[in-house]
Amino acid sequence: MAKIITISREFGSGGRELGKRLSEALGIPCYDHQIIELVAKEYGFDQNYVAHMSEKDIVAAYPSTIARGFLAPNYALQQSVQIASAQHRMIRELAEKGDCVIVGRCADVILDDMHPMNLFVYADQQSKVARCIARAAKDEDITEKEILKKIKQIDKNRAEYRKTFADGSWGRKENYHLCINTSGKEIKSLIPGIVSYIKAWYGEPS
Amino acid sequence: MAKIITISREFGSGGRELGKRLSEALGIPCYDHQIIELVAKEYGFDQNYVAHMSEKDIVAAYPSTIARGFLAPNYALQQSVQIASAQHRMIRELAEKGDCVIVGRCADVILDDMHPMNLFVYADQQSKVARCIARAAKDEDITEKEILKKIKQIDKNRAEYRKTFADGSWGRKENYHLCINTSGKEIKSLIPGIVSYIKAWYGEPS
C-alpha cells in the first residue's frame, strides 16, 4: 500500500515545515510549492498568480449576479476553475508515482479513493503568531494585529476552498487520521514520534 | 517533568484499551476504574452508583425550580457534587504520585496546572458500533440501534459533565495535544507510534 501522507494545516502552525521534515525522515518526496510550479508552467501563468488563485474560494469569486442569470461566467472564474482542475490532475499524477507527502491543496479530498493518511496540524494563537514573526523577513515590518488578520484570512480561504470540493469541513477532526497540536513545540522535536505513528498506522515495525 | 497522560475518548473508540496498553508500554500506572473504586470506598457508596453519578451532568441534575428559589438543593444533587469533588481530589492525589495515564473523568481539566499531555481518542460511527458489538457479552442481545443510542447518550453525558468544570468543549481538538482517530484500526497496532510520539513530545529520545 502506497504511503500517501496529506497535510492540512492552520496558517502559522508549522504544517509546511512538518511536511518537509517528515518527507526527509521517511525518505519520500514532499510536494508543496512544486504543484504550483508545475501548474504555472503548464498554463504559462505566473507562479504567484497560481498560488493566489488556488487558495481562493472559487464559489465566492463567482459574482452573485451570474447565479441570477444576468451575466456569463467571467474570465477570473474560468481561470480559477482551470487552475483548480489542473492542480487536481497534478496531485493525482504525483500520488500515483508512489509514497509521498503532500502539503495542503485539498489533497486529502482529491486522493480520497487512494486512501491517504490525513494529518491536520494546528496550534494556539500565541504559537502561530510567534512562528509567523520568527519567519517574517527581518526587514518586514508587520504588527501582531496584521499577523492575526492574515492568519484568520488565510485559514478562512482554506476552509472555503475545501468547501468547494468536499462535504466535510476543513479542520474538523473527524476528517483526519491524526490531529497534531504544535503549540509551544519545535516541529523538529515532534518528527520522530510522528514517523513512528505513521509506521504503526501502516502496520510497519517502528 | 512528570509524564501525566490524560485520555478523553468517545464511547466505543477504544480509548480505555488505548490507555491501558499505553500505560503498560510506558511502564507507568493507569487510573481508570480505580478512581471510582477509591471514591466509592471513601464514601461507602456502591461502585455502580458512583460510576453512574460521576458521568452525569451535575447541572442538569439540579432541578430548575431550585434556581428559581422554590426548593432547597436535593439529596441527589448534593451527592453528585460530593462525588465529583472526591473524584477531583483523588485524581490530583494520584497524579501527584508521578507518571501515570488517567482515562476520562475530566482529568485534563482537573490537572491543567500540572501540564498533562492530553489525548483525545475518536472513531467513525461504523468502527464504534463494531467495537461495542465485539465487546458486548455473548448473551447480551443488543441491536445496532440500541448501541447507537447508547454511544450518543454516553458522549452527551461526557460533554455535559465536562461543561460543569471547564469552558472548553469536550472533543474540540484545540483542547488536546493529540487527537487519534482509531477508525478501522486495532488499538494494539497504534501503541508503538503513540508511545514514540509521547516521548518526542516530552523531549526524550525514542
Side-chain angles (χ1 to χ4, degrees), chain A residues 172-174, chain B residues 7-16 54-57 103-106 120-129 132 135 146-164 168-172 176 182:
Chain A
R172 202 173 154 257
K173 70 179 187 305
E174 285 71 14
Chain B
I7 297 183
S8 306
R9 74 290 184 214
E10 288 178 355
F11 187 73
S13 68
R16 171 172 291 172
S54 68
E55 284 216 340
K56 271 195 89 170
D57 172 21
V103 179
R105 283 154 245 292
C106 295
F120 191 85
V121 185
Y122 62 107
D124 61 24
Q125 194 166 288
Q126 195 187 348
S127 299
K128 290 190 285 191
V129 169
C132 289
R135 78 179 172 202
E146 285 165 336
I147 288 177
L148 279 173
K149 200 178 155 193
K150 196 175 170 186
I151 290 174
K152 214 173 151 185
Q153 187 57 51
I154 292 183
D155 284 353
K156 195 180 157 207
N157 286 353
R158 286 176 181 171
E160 293 291 337
Y161 186 71
R162 187 187 158 106
K163 251 194 222 162
T164 319
S169 303
W170 178 84
R172 201 173 155 257
Y176 307 95
T182 61

Short mmCIF file of all heavy atoms in Angstrom, two decimals, chain A residues 172-174, chain B residues 7-16 54-57 103-106 120-129 132 135 146-164 168-172 176 182:
data_model
loop_
_atom_site.label_atom_id
_atom_site.label_comp_id
_atom_site.label_asym_id
_atom_site.label_seq_id
_atom_site.Cartn_x
_atom_site.Cartn_y
_atom_site.Cartn_z
N ARG A 172 -12.08 19.86 10.78
CA ARG A 172 -12.93 19.04 11.67
C ARG A 172 -12.20 17.72 11.88
O ARG A 172 -11.90 17.02 10.92
CB ARG A 172 -14.29 18.83 10.98
CG ARG A 172 -15.39 18.50 11.95
CD ARG A 172 -16.74 18.46 11.25
NE ARG A 172 -17.61 17.57 12.01
CZ ARG A 172 -17.89 16.35 11.65
NH1 ARG A 172 -17.45 15.84 10.53
NH2 ARG A 172 -18.66 15.60 12.43
N LYS A 173 -11.90 17.40 13.14
CA LYS A 173 -11.01 16.26 13.41
C LYS A 173 -11.48 14.95 12.78
O LYS A 173 -10.67 14.11 12.41
CB LYS A 173 -10.75 16.09 14.91
CG LYS A 173 -11.93 15.61 15.72
CD LYS A 173 -11.56 15.45 17.19
CE LYS A 173 -12.66 14.82 17.99
NZ LYS A 173 -13.96 15.48 17.91
N GLU A 174 -12.78 14.79 12.63
CA GLU A 174 -13.34 13.57 12.05
C GLU A 174 -12.84 13.32 10.62
O GLU A 174 -12.88 12.20 10.13
CB GLU A 174 -14.87 13.62 12.06
CG GLU A 174 -15.51 13.40 13.42
CD GLU A 174 -15.32 14.55 14.41
OE1 GLU A 174 -14.92 15.65 13.97
OE2 GLU A 174 -15.56 14.34 15.60
N ILE B 7 -6.51 10.80 28.99
CA ILE B 7 -7.19 10.29 27.79
C ILE B 7 -8.68 10.59 27.86
O ILE B 7 -9.38 10.10 28.75
CB ILE B 7 -6.94 8.79 27.63
CG1 ILE B 7 -5.43 8.59 27.41
CG2 ILE B 7 -7.77 8.20 26.48
CD1 ILE B 7 -5.02 7.19 27.17
N SER B 8 -9.14 11.40 26.94
CA SER B 8 -10.57 11.64 26.79
C SER B 8 -10.97 10.83 25.56
O SER B 8 -10.16 10.66 24.65
CB SER B 8 -10.86 13.12 26.56
OG SER B 8 -10.28 13.89 27.60
N ARG B 9 -12.18 10.32 25.55
CA ARG B 9 -12.49 9.41 24.42
C ARG B 9 -13.98 9.32 24.16
O ARG B 9 -14.78 9.43 25.06
CB ARG B 9 -11.92 8.02 24.68
CG ARG B 9 -12.65 7.16 25.70
CD ARG B 9 -12.50 7.65 27.14
NE ARG B 9 -13.14 6.73 28.07
CZ ARG B 9 -13.74 7.07 29.20
NH1 ARG B 9 -13.85 8.34 29.56
NH2 ARG B 9 -14.29 6.18 29.98
N GLU B 10 -14.29 9.11 22.89
CA GLU B 10 -15.67 8.85 22.51
C GLU B 10 -15.99 7.41 22.92
O GLU B 10 -15.11 6.53 22.85
CB GLU B 10 -15.84 9.00 21.00
CG GLU B 10 -15.78 10.45 20.54
CD GLU B 10 -15.90 10.62 19.03
OE1 GLU B 10 -15.94 9.59 18.33
OE2 GLU B 10 -15.95 11.77 18.57
N PHE B 11 -17.21 7.17 23.33
CA PHE B 11 -17.61 5.82 23.70
C PHE B 11 -17.50 4.89 22.48
O PHE B 11 -18.02 5.21 21.41
CB PHE B 11 -19.06 5.83 24.23
CG PHE B 11 -19.49 4.51 24.79
CD1 PHE B 11 -19.00 4.06 26.00
CD2 PHE B 11 -20.38 3.70 24.09
CE1 PHE B 11 -19.39 2.84 26.52
CE2 PHE B 11 -20.78 2.48 24.60
CZ PHE B 11 -20.29 2.04 25.81
N GLY B 12 -16.79 3.80 22.64
CA GLY B 12 -16.64 2.84 21.54
C GLY B 12 -15.41 3.06 20.69
O GLY B 12 -15.14 2.30 19.76
N SER B 13 -14.62 4.10 21.02
CA SER B 13 -13.44 4.40 20.18
C SER B 13 -12.21 3.60 20.59
O SER B 13 -11.18 3.64 19.91
CB SER B 13 -13.10 5.89 20.27
OG SER B 13 -12.64 6.20 21.58
N GLY B 14 -12.31 2.89 21.71
CA GLY B 14 -11.17 2.10 22.18
C GLY B 14 -10.23 2.90 23.07
O GLY B 14 -9.11 2.48 23.34
N GLY B 15 -10.70 4.04 23.57
CA GLY B 15 -9.86 4.91 24.39
C GLY B 15 -9.41 4.27 25.69
O GLY B 15 -8.27 4.45 26.11
N ARG B 16 -10.30 3.51 26.30
CA ARG B 16 -9.92 2.84 27.56
C ARG B 16 -8.82 1.81 27.30
O ARG B 16 -7.82 1.76 28.02
CB ARG B 16 -11.16 2.17 28.17
CG ARG B 16 -10.82 1.27 29.34
CD ARG B 16 -12.06 0.78 30.03
NE ARG B 16 -12.72 1.89 30.72
CZ ARG B 16 -13.92 1.80 31.29
NH1 ARG B 16 -14.60 0.67 31.23
NH2 ARG B 16 -14.45 2.84 31.90
N SER B 54 -20.97 9.88 38.42
CA SER B 54 -19.79 10.65 38.06
C SER B 54 -19.69 10.94 36.57
O SER B 54 -18.77 11.61 36.12
CB SER B 54 -18.53 9.96 38.55
OG SER B 54 -18.33 8.78 37.83
N GLU B 55 -20.61 10.42 35.79
CA GLU B 55 -20.60 10.81 34.38
C GLU B 55 -21.91 11.49 34.01
O GLU B 55 -22.21 11.70 32.85
CB GLU B 55 -20.31 9.60 33.47
CG GLU B 55 -18.84 9.24 33.49
CD GLU B 55 -18.30 8.74 32.16
OE1 GLU B 55 -19.10 8.33 31.30
OE2 GLU B 55 -17.08 8.79 31.98
N LYS B 56 -22.68 11.84 35.03
CA LYS B 56 -23.94 12.56 34.76
C LYS B 56 -23.69 14.05 34.87
O LYS B 56 -22.80 14.50 35.59
CB LYS B 56 -25.01 12.13 35.77
CG LYS B 56 -25.81 10.94 35.33
CD LYS B 56 -27.05 10.78 36.15
CE LYS B 56 -28.23 11.54 35.59
NZ LYS B 56 -29.49 11.19 36.25
N ASP B 57 -24.49 14.78 34.19
CA ASP B 57 -24.37 16.23 34.23
C ASP B 57 -24.89 16.77 35.55
O ASP B 57 -26.08 16.68 35.85
CB ASP B 57 -25.15 16.82 33.06
CG ASP B 57 -25.22 18.33 33.14
OD1 ASP B 57 -24.38 18.91 33.83
OD2 ASP B 57 -26.12 18.88 32.51
N VAL B 103 -7.63 7.80 32.50
CA VAL B 103 -8.67 7.71 31.47
C VAL B 103 -9.93 8.42 31.94
O VAL B 103 -10.46 8.11 33.02
CB VAL B 103 -8.97 6.23 31.14
CG1 VAL B 103 -10.07 6.13 30.08
CG2 VAL B 103 -7.71 5.50 30.68
N GLY B 104 -10.40 9.35 31.14
CA GLY B 104 -11.67 10.03 31.41
C GLY B 104 -11.69 10.91 32.63
O GLY B 104 -10.66 11.39 33.10
N ARG B 105 -12.90 11.14 33.11
CA ARG B 105 -13.16 11.89 34.35
C ARG B 105 -12.61 13.31 34.36
O ARG B 105 -12.22 13.83 35.41
CB ARG B 105 -12.62 11.09 35.56
CG ARG B 105 -13.54 9.93 35.92
CD ARG B 105 -12.88 8.78 36.61
NE ARG B 105 -12.93 7.58 35.78
CZ ARG B 105 -14.03 6.90 35.49
NH1 ARG B 105 -15.17 7.30 35.92
NH2 ARG B 105 -13.99 5.82 34.72
N CYS B 106 -12.53 13.92 33.19
CA CYS B 106 -12.08 15.32 33.08
C CYS B 106 -10.71 15.57 33.67
O CYS B 106 -10.42 16.69 34.13
CB CYS B 106 -13.08 16.29 33.73
SG CYS B 106 -14.65 16.31 32.92
N PHE B 120 -7.04 12.87 22.78
CA PHE B 120 -8.46 12.61 22.54
C PHE B 120 -8.56 11.46 21.53
O PHE B 120 -7.92 11.50 20.49
CB PHE B 120 -9.19 13.85 22.01
CG PHE B 120 -10.69 13.66 22.01
CD1 PHE B 120 -11.43 13.91 23.15
CD2 PHE B 120 -11.35 13.17 20.88
CE1 PHE B 120 -12.81 13.70 23.18
CE2 PHE B 120 -12.73 12.96 20.89
CZ PHE B 120 -13.45 13.23 22.04
N VAL B 121 -9.33 10.46 21.89
CA VAL B 121 -9.45 9.27 21.04
C VAL B 121 -10.86 9.24 20.46
O VAL B 121 -11.84 9.35 21.19
CB VAL B 121 -9.16 7.99 21.85
CG1 VAL B 121 -9.17 6.76 20.96
CG2 VAL B 121 -7.82 8.11 22.57
N TYR B 122 -10.94 9.09 19.13
CA TYR B 122 -12.25 9.11 18.48
C TYR B 122 -12.26 8.13 17.31
O TYR B 122 -11.22 7.57 16.94
CB TYR B 122 -12.61 10.53 18.02
CG TYR B 122 -11.67 11.13 17.00
CD1 TYR B 122 -12.05 11.29 15.66
CD2 TYR B 122 -10.39 11.54 17.36
CE1 TYR B 122 -11.21 11.86 14.72
CE2 TYR B 122 -9.53 12.10 16.42
CZ TYR B 122 -9.94 12.25 15.11
OH TYR B 122 -9.08 12.80 14.19
N ALA B 123 -13.43 7.91 16.77
CA ALA B 123 -13.54 6.99 15.62
C ALA B 123 -14.83 7.27 14.88
O ALA B 123 -15.72 7.95 15.41
CB ALA B 123 -13.50 5.55 16.10
N ASP B 124 -14.94 6.72 13.67
CA ASP B 124 -16.20 6.90 12.95
C ASP B 124 -17.26 5.96 13.54
O ASP B 124 -16.95 5.03 14.27
CB ASP B 124 -16.01 6.72 11.43
CG ASP B 124 -15.51 5.33 11.06
OD1 ASP B 124 -15.73 4.37 11.83
OD2 ASP B 124 -14.89 5.20 9.99
N GLN B 125 -18.49 6.27 13.21
CA GLN B 125 -19.62 5.55 13.80
C GLN B 125 -19.55 4.04 13.59
O GLN B 125 -19.77 3.25 14.51
CB GLN B 125 -20.90 6.11 13.21
CG GLN B 125 -22.14 5.70 13.96
CD GLN B 125 -23.32 6.53 13.55
OE1 GLN B 125 -23.41 7.72 13.89
NE2 GLN B 125 -24.23 5.95 12.80
N GLN B 126 -19.22 3.66 12.37
CA GLN B 126 -19.14 2.25 12.00
C GLN B 126 -18.16 1.49 12.91
O GLN B 126 -18.45 0.41 13.41
CB GLN B 126 -18.68 2.17 10.54
CG GLN B 126 -18.88 0.84 9.87
CD GLN B 126 -18.24 0.82 8.47
OE1 GLN B 126 -17.86 1.87 7.95
NE2 GLN B 126 -18.11 -0.34 7.89
N SER B 127 -16.99 2.08 13.11
CA SER B 127 -15.97 1.44 13.94
C SER B 127 -16.40 1.36 15.40
O SER B 127 -16.13 0.37 16.08
CB SER B 127 -14.66 2.23 13.88
OG SER B 127 -14.18 2.28 12.58
N LYS B 128 -17.08 2.40 15.87
CA LYS B 128 -17.51 2.41 17.26
C LYS B 128 -18.58 1.35 17.51
O LYS B 128 -18.54 0.64 18.51
CB LYS B 128 -18.00 3.81 17.66
CG LYS B 128 -16.87 4.82 17.75
CD LYS B 128 -17.29 6.13 18.36
CE LYS B 128 -18.11 6.97 17.42
NZ LYS B 128 -18.31 8.35 17.90
N VAL B 129 -19.49 1.24 16.56
CA VAL B 129 -20.54 0.22 16.69
C VAL B 129 -19.91 -1.17 16.67
O VAL B 129 -20.20 -2.03 17.52
CB VAL B 129 -21.61 0.36 15.57
CG1 VAL B 129 -22.54 -0.84 15.55
CG2 VAL B 129 -22.40 1.65 15.75
N CYS B 132 -18.25 -1.93 19.94
CA CYS B 132 -19.23 -2.19 21.00
C CYS B 132 -19.81 -3.59 20.87
O CYS B 132 -19.98 -4.29 21.86
CB CYS B 132 -20.35 -1.16 20.96
SG CYS B 132 -19.83 0.48 21.50
N ARG B 135 -17.29 -6.24 21.97
CA ARG B 135 -17.02 -6.36 23.41
C ARG B 135 -18.27 -6.63 24.26
O ARG B 135 -18.16 -6.82 25.47
CB ARG B 135 -16.25 -5.14 23.92
CG ARG B 135 -17.07 -3.91 24.15
CD ARG B 135 -16.20 -2.78 24.66
NE ARG B 135 -16.98 -1.55 24.69
CZ ARG B 135 -16.47 -0.33 24.68
NH1 ARG B 135 -15.18 -0.16 24.62
NH2 ARG B 135 -17.23 0.73 24.73
N GLU B 146 -29.76 0.25 19.35
CA GLU B 146 -29.58 0.49 20.79
C GLU B 146 -28.15 0.96 21.08
O GLU B 146 -27.91 1.82 21.92
CB GLU B 146 -29.89 -0.79 21.58
CG GLU B 146 -31.39 -1.08 21.69
CD GLU B 146 -31.69 -2.50 22.15
OE1 GLU B 146 -30.82 -3.40 21.97
OE2 GLU B 146 -32.77 -2.72 22.69
N ILE B 147 -27.19 0.35 20.36
CA ILE B 147 -25.79 0.74 20.56
C ILE B 147 -25.59 2.20 20.16
O ILE B 147 -24.98 2.97 20.89
CB ILE B 147 -24.84 -0.18 19.74
CG1 ILE B 147 -24.79 -1.57 20.39
CG2 ILE B 147 -23.43 0.40 19.65
CD1 ILE B 147 -23.96 -2.58 19.64
N LEU B 148 -26.14 2.57 19.02
CA LEU B 148 -26.01 3.95 18.56
C LEU B 148 -26.59 4.94 19.57
O LEU B 148 -26.01 5.98 19.85
CB LEU B 148 -26.71 4.13 17.21
CG LEU B 148 -25.91 3.67 16.00
CD1 LEU B 148 -26.77 3.72 14.74
CD2 LEU B 148 -24.67 4.56 15.81
N LYS B 149 -27.73 4.56 20.15
CA LYS B 149 -28.40 5.40 21.14
C LYS B 149 -27.50 5.53 22.37
O LYS B 149 -27.34 6.63 22.92
CB LYS B 149 -29.74 4.75 21.51
CG LYS B 149 -30.72 5.71 22.13
CD LYS B 149 -32.04 5.03 22.44
CE LYS B 149 -32.74 5.77 23.57
NZ LYS B 149 -33.86 5.01 24.12
N LYS B 150 -26.90 4.41 22.76
CA LYS B 150 -26.02 4.39 23.94
C LYS B 150 -24.79 5.27 23.70
O LYS B 150 -24.40 6.06 24.56
CB LYS B 150 -25.59 2.93 24.19
CG LYS B 150 -25.00 2.72 25.57
CD LYS B 150 -24.70 1.24 25.82
CE LYS B 150 -23.89 1.07 27.08
NZ LYS B 150 -23.46 -0.33 27.28
N ILE B 151 -24.18 5.13 22.51
CA ILE B 151 -23.00 5.94 22.18
C ILE B 151 -23.34 7.43 22.29
O ILE B 151 -22.63 8.20 22.92
CB ILE B 151 -22.49 5.62 20.74
CG1 ILE B 151 -21.88 4.21 20.68
CG2 ILE B 151 -21.49 6.66 20.25
CD1 ILE B 151 -21.49 3.74 19.27
N LYS B 152 -24.46 7.78 21.69
CA LYS B 152 -24.89 9.18 21.67
C LYS B 152 -25.12 9.70 23.10
O LYS B 152 -24.68 10.78 23.46
CB LYS B 152 -26.18 9.28 20.85
CG LYS B 152 -26.31 10.57 20.09
CD LYS B 152 -27.51 10.54 19.17
CE LYS B 152 -28.05 11.93 18.97
NZ LYS B 152 -29.28 11.95 18.19
N GLN B 153 -25.81 8.86 23.89
CA GLN B 153 -26.15 9.29 25.25
C GLN B 153 -24.91 9.44 26.12
O GLN B 153 -24.75 10.43 26.83
CB GLN B 153 -27.13 8.27 25.87
CG GLN B 153 -27.68 8.71 27.23
CD GLN B 153 -28.37 10.07 27.16
OE1 GLN B 153 -29.23 10.30 26.32
NE2 GLN B 153 -27.99 11.01 28.02
N ILE B 154 -24.02 8.44 26.06
CA ILE B 154 -22.82 8.50 26.91
C ILE B 154 -21.94 9.67 26.52
O ILE B 154 -21.45 10.40 27.38
CB ILE B 154 -22.06 7.15 26.87
CG1 ILE B 154 -22.92 6.08 27.56
CG2 ILE B 154 -20.69 7.26 27.54
CD1 ILE B 154 -22.32 4.72 27.68
N ASP B 155 -21.74 9.87 25.22
CA ASP B 155 -20.90 11.00 24.79
C ASP B 155 -21.54 12.34 25.19
O ASP B 155 -20.83 13.28 25.55
CB ASP B 155 -20.65 10.95 23.28
CG ASP B 155 -19.61 9.90 22.93
OD1 ASP B 155 -19.01 9.33 23.86
OD2 ASP B 155 -19.38 9.65 21.73
N LYS B 156 -22.86 12.40 25.14
CA LYS B 156 -23.56 13.62 25.55
C LYS B 156 -23.31 13.87 27.05
O LYS B 156 -23.02 14.99 27.46
CB LYS B 156 -25.07 13.47 25.27
CG LYS B 156 -25.81 14.79 25.31
CD LYS B 156 -27.28 14.63 25.03
CE LYS B 156 -28.04 15.80 25.61
NZ LYS B 156 -29.42 15.48 25.96
N ASN B 157 -23.42 12.80 27.84
CA ASN B 157 -23.16 12.93 29.28
C ASN B 157 -21.74 13.42 29.54
O ASN B 157 -21.51 14.27 30.38
CB ASN B 157 -23.33 11.57 29.98
CG ASN B 157 -24.79 11.18 30.10
OD1 ASN B 157 -25.69 11.98 29.79
ND2 ASN B 157 -25.05 9.96 30.54
N ARG B 158 -20.78 12.85 28.79
CA ARG B 158 -19.38 13.23 28.99
C ARG B 158 -19.17 14.71 28.66
O ARG B 158 -18.48 15.42 29.38
CB ARG B 158 -18.46 12.37 28.11
CG ARG B 158 -18.34 10.96 28.67
CD ARG B 158 -17.52 10.06 27.77
NE ARG B 158 -17.46 8.71 28.35
CZ ARG B 158 -16.98 7.64 27.76
NH1 ARG B 158 -16.49 7.73 26.56
NH2 ARG B 158 -16.96 6.47 28.38
N ALA B 159 -19.79 15.14 27.56
CA ALA B 159 -19.66 16.54 27.16
C ALA B 159 -20.28 17.45 28.22
O ALA B 159 -19.71 18.47 28.59
CB ALA B 159 -20.31 16.76 25.81
N GLU B 160 -21.43 17.05 28.74
CA GLU B 160 -22.13 17.87 29.74
C GLU B 160 -21.34 17.90 31.05
O GLU B 160 -21.24 18.92 31.70
CB GLU B 160 -23.55 17.31 30.01
CG GLU B 160 -24.49 17.43 28.83
CD GLU B 160 -24.88 18.87 28.51
OE1 GLU B 160 -24.80 19.72 29.41
OE2 GLU B 160 -25.22 19.15 27.35
N TYR B 161 -20.79 16.74 31.41
CA TYR B 161 -20.01 16.64 32.66
C TYR B 161 -18.82 17.58 32.59
O TYR B 161 -18.52 18.30 33.53
CB TYR B 161 -19.55 15.20 32.86
CG TYR B 161 -18.86 14.94 34.19
CD1 TYR B 161 -19.58 14.95 35.39
CD2 TYR B 161 -17.49 14.67 34.25
CE1 TYR B 161 -18.94 14.71 36.60
CE2 TYR B 161 -16.86 14.44 35.45
CZ TYR B 161 -17.59 14.45 36.64
OH TYR B 161 -16.96 14.20 37.83
N ARG B 162 -18.17 17.59 31.43
CA ARG B 162 -17.01 18.47 31.26
C ARG B 162 -17.41 19.94 31.36
O ARG B 162 -16.70 20.75 31.96
CB ARG B 162 -16.33 18.20 29.92
CG ARG B 162 -15.03 18.97 29.77
CD ARG B 162 -14.44 18.84 28.38
NE ARG B 162 -13.56 19.95 28.15
CZ ARG B 162 -12.24 19.89 28.16
NH1 ARG B 162 -11.65 18.75 28.35
NH2 ARG B 162 -11.50 20.95 27.95
N LYS B 163 -18.54 20.25 30.77
CA LYS B 163 -19.03 21.63 30.77
C LYS B 163 -19.20 22.18 32.19
O LYS B 163 -19.12 23.38 32.42
CB LYS B 163 -20.40 21.68 30.07
CG LYS B 163 -20.36 22.36 28.72
CD LYS B 163 -21.77 22.67 28.27
CE LYS B 163 -21.96 22.36 26.80
NZ LYS B 163 -23.36 22.25 26.42
N THR B 164 -19.48 21.27 33.13
CA THR B 164 -19.67 21.70 34.51
C THR B 164 -18.38 22.28 35.10
O THR B 164 -18.41 23.11 35.98
CB THR B 164 -20.12 20.48 35.37
OG1 THR B 164 -21.05 19.71 34.63
CG2 THR B 164 -20.74 20.92 36.67
N GLY B 168 -13.79 25.13 27.82
CA GLY B 168 -13.57 24.49 26.52
C GLY B 168 -14.43 23.26 26.33
O GLY B 168 -14.66 22.50 27.27
N SER B 169 -14.91 23.06 25.11
CA SER B 169 -15.79 21.93 24.85
C SER B 169 -15.04 20.60 24.81
O SER B 169 -13.90 20.54 24.36
CB SER B 169 -16.47 22.10 23.50
OG SER B 169 -17.16 23.30 23.48
N TRP B 170 -15.73 19.58 25.23
CA TRP B 170 -15.26 18.19 25.15
C TRP B 170 -15.14 17.84 23.67
O TRP B 170 -16.04 18.14 22.88
CB TRP B 170 -16.31 17.30 25.83
CG TRP B 170 -16.02 15.84 25.79
CD1 TRP B 170 -15.23 15.14 26.65
CD2 TRP B 170 -16.57 14.87 24.88
NE1 TRP B 170 -15.22 13.82 26.32
CE2 TRP B 170 -16.04 13.62 25.24
CE3 TRP B 170 -17.43 14.94 23.80
CZ2 TRP B 170 -16.36 12.45 24.55
CZ3 TRP B 170 -17.73 13.78 23.12
CH2 TRP B 170 -17.20 12.55 23.50
N GLY B 171 -14.01 17.24 23.30
CA GLY B 171 -13.84 16.77 21.92
C GLY B 171 -13.37 17.83 20.94
O GLY B 171 -13.10 17.52 19.79
N ARG B 172 -13.27 19.09 21.38
CA ARG B 172 -12.79 20.15 20.47
C ARG B 172 -11.27 20.01 20.39
O ARG B 172 -10.59 20.08 21.41
CB ARG B 172 -13.21 21.51 21.04
CG ARG B 172 -13.24 22.61 20.01
CD ARG B 172 -13.83 23.89 20.56
NE ARG B 172 -13.29 24.98 19.76
CZ ARG B 172 -12.31 25.78 20.15
NH1 ARG B 172 -11.78 25.64 21.35
NH2 ARG B 172 -11.86 26.73 19.35
N TYR B 176 -6.79 19.59 23.12
CA TYR B 176 -5.95 18.39 23.28
C TYR B 176 -4.64 18.56 22.52
O TYR B 176 -4.55 19.35 21.58
CB TYR B 176 -6.72 17.15 22.78
CG TYR B 176 -8.08 17.05 23.44
CD1 TYR B 176 -9.21 17.57 22.82
CD2 TYR B 176 -8.22 16.50 24.71
CE1 TYR B 176 -10.46 17.53 23.45
CE2 TYR B 176 -9.45 16.45 25.34
CZ TYR B 176 -10.57 16.97 24.71
OH TYR B 176 -11.79 16.94 25.34
N THR B 182 -9.16 6.22 15.63
CA THR B 182 -8.89 4.77 15.66
C THR B 182 -9.74 3.98 14.65
O THR B 182 -9.71 2.75 14.67
CB THR B 182 -9.15 4.20 17.07
OG1 THR B 182 -10.54 4.42 17.39
CG2 THR B 182 -8.28 4.85 18.13
#
